Amino acid sequence: MTKNPKPLGKNPVGHPLDDLIRTERIPHIWCSGCGIGTVFSSCLSAIKATEIPYNEFTMVSGIGCSARAAGYIKVDSFHTTHGRAIPFASGIKMAKPDLNVIVFSGDGDLFAIGGNHFIHAARRNMDMTVICVNNLIYGMTGGQVAATTPANAKTTTTPFGNPDAPFNLPLLAYASGASYVARWTILHVRDLTNAINEAIRHRGFSFIEVLAPCPINYGRRNKEKPLDTLKLYRENTIIKNGADPAIADVDFDRGVILGTFINRDRSTCDDMYEATCRRNSED
Amino acid sequence: MKPAVRTGSYYMTGDVACAEGAIAAGCLFFGAYPITPATEVAEHMAERLPDVGGTFIQMEDEIAAIASILGAAWTGVKSMTATSGPGFSLMMENLGLGVCTETPCVIINVQRTGPSTGLPTQTGQGDMMQARWGSHGDYELIALAPSSPQDCFYHTILAFNLSEKYRVPVLVMADEIVGHMSEKVVIPDAKEIKLESRPKPKGRKDRFKLYEPGPNGVAPMPSIGEGYNVHVTGLTHDERGYPAMDTEEQENMLARIKGKIRNNLDDIIHTEEYMMDDADIVIVSYGISTRTGLTAVDEARKLGYKVGLFRLITVWPFPEQKIHEIASRVKGLITIEINLGQVHYEVERCAHGQAETHLVGSAGGKIIHPDKVVSLIKEVFQP
């Protein structure tokens, strides 16, 4: 006769990231096989690794599956309107520049409805870290075509295949003025965690695209089983730091480039405001 | 650093007076997008804010502008934006976010004529119902209506005080004439300006609930970085601020958002009266149209009519009780507004058939001439 394991008692062994999680809000909403949780835990690990006090962080998100991360992290966090995480975060940053501001949202939120805000925050080199979970689809609303959906892919609003071309996000970020640009997949957890750590400590607009599967709403309609997506991430990607973002299209047939594309010094929006506006007003 | 309150007498436009009022009220963050006839508010804030340690940012559109001031408000500063019709329309979704998350902030709307691009350089009061109901869903907020540059100064301060006290976005519904006219504006000593600031939490941080109402129905509000680990969402939320997808929490949230305004009407509603003691015909007006009304009262009195004026400084929440009470003792109520009937229907609703209600309105573009009001009085009333 086997014995049941002893109950954990009053002080069960916690998860090492529990101090950054609103544990009372678990279980989360994300589906089995979804990649968002992996990006989220990489983000928490990176925050921890910076050794910066937690109350010097704030997380802002928009709307969508990825945006729900802001409701699980135990720092001051804001779940705003669709597409508007970046301008909301810009207000926080410019009003209190010593905060570390992280925007955590999805591709639909950041690059379709919120695309205008992204390019302007990058242009200003607003000192924040933008993490985009790119699952190539609108997950929360049930699988509609996104600005990142590959051409010909099937979605509920492109039942005959996507007639449009997707954005190359690293190129868009670079062209708009971002001073740190990287791309990883959820299979590259250590690289991703290190990149987020680096992006948080980087002064300026940091952008990290993370390719993540949405087996329910993307994979299912495109004959891509959950494991197939991960195999693509392992076998059809090329790690190449310093690559030209112009050749960074998400095309698994040709190979998707991962790594740090851009890491450059540029004056930030708050530094420039201090140097330009405040100095002149005192003259 | 220069003083926030520029005590003295000035010849100043309403737009500039709004900006000076904001800075006197302690506003330290302004995010906006240029639009006629509100641009001068932004221009003056851009010049003045660095002087007082504040921050100005011209955002990429009005949606970003209002999002930025909501974000800034959670760092603990007082924040503001200024816009006009088309920009006001773009702000509606995030105005709802401000209401739902109980975020104090001030929005100046220097109204022009609509719909759409309309007459960008000419006056209007056609955004009054949008101010009340423009964002989706059910809610309460506060809207004030200045009728002069001097009002612009004081009403912007009042707007900040009410927004801080009740944790609610407050709208200052100016118009092109008030915004662009220059008049004498007296800025008092700093010590004569009474300022409110948002209630701050006390007690244990681990037991803190973001939306647990205080004595006046308003919950204390911490700032980012103070260690309260707040979660702020536009989803329906419980008192902790956590998403709660059920009808019971929806009812609780709405009860709090509406209750904190509805239960403090005496403090929130500001009105003024002119020649009301013996009046049996009462003009109801607000903003620039108040000035039409004041002249109309004097002219009609010369003809023997007992006319008075009831001015709404606070248009929303609407002074329902007061209008109902006035209607019970007069023959008629005349609403003057530069639109084709918005606040007029509120007056009609609150008069509830006790007195005749009339509208002197216009499609917009210019101030309404007092003769139009006097003609109506002569046509429908006996002296």
Side-chain angles (χ1 to χ4, degrees), chain A residues 82-84 107-117 138, chain B residues 93:
Chain A
H82 198 18
R84 318 305 168 196
D107 48 305
D109 186 72
L110 288 166
F111 290 100
I113 191 168
N116 192 34
H117 308 307
Y138 284 89
Chain B
E93 186 191 10

Side-chain angles (χ1 to χ4, degrees), chain A residues 16 26 88 124 129 137 174 185 210 269:
Chain A
I26 303 299
F88 192 101
R124 295 183 173 111
T129 300
I137 199 94
Y174 169 64
T185 81
V210 192
C269 186

Side-chain angles (χ1 to χ4, degrees), chain B residues 1-7 20 23-24 48 51-52 190:
Chain B
M1 295 265 269
K2 292 175 186 168
V5 181
R6 279 183 169 169
T7 304
E20 284 296 336
I23 288 169
R48 280 281 275 141
D51 286 352
V52 296

Side-chain angles (χ1 to χ4, degrees), chain B residues 147 271-298 301 306-313 322-323 326 329-330 332-336 373:
Chain B
S147 65
T271 59
E272 276 177 2
E273 298 185 0
Y274 177 64
M275 308 283 271
M276 284 283 286
D277 289 347
D278 64 341
D280 57 13
I281 301 167
V282 170
I283 292 171
V284 179
S285 66
Y286 58 91
I288 187 66
S289 295
T290 304
R291 298 169 79 137
T292 300
L294 289 170
T295 305
V297 169
D298 293 343
R301 287 231 167 219
K306 289 179 182 169
V307 182
L309 183 135
F310 185 69
R311 180 207 173 178
L312 316 176
I313 292 173
K322 190 68 190 173
I323 296 288
I326 292 170
R329 60 182 160 88
V330 300
L333 291 159
I334 302 167
T335 305
I336 311 174
V373 186

Side-chain angles (χ1 to χ4, degrees), chain B residues 81-295:
Chain B
T81 187
T83 191
S84 187
F88 196 55
S89 293
L90 285 177
M91 290 184 182
M92 285 300 118
E93 186 191 10
N94 278 319
L95 176 64
L97 180 67
V99 169
C100 185
T101 57
E102 306 187 40
T103 305
C105 62
V106 172
I107 298 146
I108 310 271
N109 179 358
V110 187
Q111 294 173 89
R112 61 193 227 186
T113 296
S116 192
T117 312
L119 300 169
T121 60
Q122 296 176 49
T123 197
Q125 293 182 305
D127 304 350
M128 297 311 296
M129 276 297 164
Q130 187 184 21
R132 178 64 189 87
W133 295 112
S135 196
H136 56 280
D138 216 346
Y139 58 93
E140 292 281 342
L141 48 56
I142 299 170
L144 312 175
S147 65
S148 66
Q150 181 71 68
D151 281 350
C152 285
F153 178 80
Y154 278 119
H155 290 184
T156 305
I157 296 172
L158 177 61
F160 273 103
N161 283 347
L162 291 170
S163 83
E164 291 286 316
K165 195 170 177 183
Y166 295 104
R167 278 187 67 179
V168 68
V170 178
L171 311 174
V172 178
M173 300 297 287
D175 75 282
E176 187 275 333
I177 295 178
V178 164
H180 278 168
M181 69 158 59
S182 291
E183 276 186 345
K184 184 178 176 181
V185 173
V186 178
I187 299 180
D189 283 342
K191 62 179 187 300
E192 287 169 29
I193 299 174
K194 187 175 167 284
L195 297 180
E196 299 273 353
S197 51
R198 62 196 70 172
K200 296 298 288 182
K202 300 183 190 90
R204 284 179 55 172
K205 287 182 182 174
D206 57 341
R207 288 186 189 163
F208 172 72
K209 287 184 185 164
L210 185 55
Y211 298 105
E212 188 171 37
N216 63 347
V218 184
M221 179 175 171
S223 304
I224 301 173
E226 288 178 346
Y228 288 90
N229 293 328
V230 298
H231 179 58
V232 177
T233 177
L235 285 167
T236 295
H237 43 260
D238 60 22
E239 281 192 354
R240 294 173 302 175
Y242 289 175
M245 301 296 100
D246 60 70
T247 51
E248 193 185 332
E249 288 299 349
Q250 170 69 9
E251 275 183 34
N252 291 342
M253 189 180 84
L254 259 291
R256 185 177 66 252
I257 286 172
K258 290 178 80 88
K260 69 183 178 182
I261 305 296
R262 304 299 308 177
N263 298 329
N264 291 292
L265 293 178
D266 288 346
D267 185 46
I268 293 168
I269 292 179
H270 294 247
T271 59
E272 276 177 2
E273 298 185 0
Y274 177 64
M275 308 283 271
M276 284 283 286
D277 289 347
D278 64 341
D280 57 13
I281 301 167
V282 170
I283 292 171
V284 179
S285 66
Y286 58 91
I288 187 66
S289 295
T290 304
R291 298 169 79 137
T292 300
L294 289 170
T295 305

Side-chain angles (χ1 to χ4, degrees), chain A residues 22 24 76 79 81 124 278, chain B residues 54 58 94 225 230 232-233 242:
Chain A
R22 298 178 195 272
E24 67 274 31
D76 292 315
H79 178 224
T81 44
R124 295 183 173 111
R278 292 199 211 282
Chain B
Q58 183 174 315
N94 278 319
V230 298
V232 177
T233 177
Y242 289 175

Side-chain angles (χ1 to χ4, degrees), chain A residues 91-165:
Chain A
I92 293 175
K93 183 68 197 181
M94 290 305 284
K96 202 172 179 193
D98 53 348
L99 285 169
N100 290 287
V101 180
I102 298 173
V103 170
F104 192 107
S105 221
D107 48 305
D109 186 72
L110 288 166
F111 290 100
I113 191 168
N116 192 34
H117 308 307
F118 180 88
I119 61 174
H120 285 276
R123 172 178 65 84
R124 295 183 173 111
N125 203 24
M126 190 65 73
D127 183 20
M128 58 173 64
T129 300
V130 177
I131 299 168
C132 173
V133 181
N134 183 3
N135 58 9
L136 315 178
I137 199 94
Y138 284 89
M140 185 163 271
T141 45
Q144 295 73 35
V145 70
T148 46
T149 305
N152 300 317
K154 294 244 170 67
T155 73
T156 62
T157 48
T158 56
F160 312 110
N162 179 16
D164 294 327

